[in-house]
Amino acid sequence: MYGLLWRALPGPKWLKVIELIILALAVVAVLFNWVFPWVVANTGIIDNTVG
């Protein structure tokens, strides 16, 4: 999969590295802003059972 990403991105090696870093940061931002809050709201992960 990483090879496919590497071949799909345009530009020289240094530009591909920058593009991959930006893509990774975008994925992390989407996870923290939308995916993780949705999972917590729709599951009982935060429910404490210890009194």
Side-chain angles (χ1 to χ4, degrees):
M1 179 170 149
Y2 299 112
L4 178 68
L5 281 172
W6 189 257
R7 287 187 302 272
L9 292 173
K13 188 175 186 178
W14 63 269
L15 183 60
K16 288 182 182 186
V17 170
I18 293 171
E19 291 170 343
L20 284 173
I21 291 170
I22 291 171
L23 284 172
L25 291 174
V27 167
V28 170
V30 166
L31 287 172
F32 275 100
N33 285 316
W34 292 289
V35 175
F36 295 155
W38 178 83
V39 169
V40 169
N42 291 308
T43 61
I45 292 176
I46 301 297
D47 294 341
N48 293 333
T49 57
V50 178

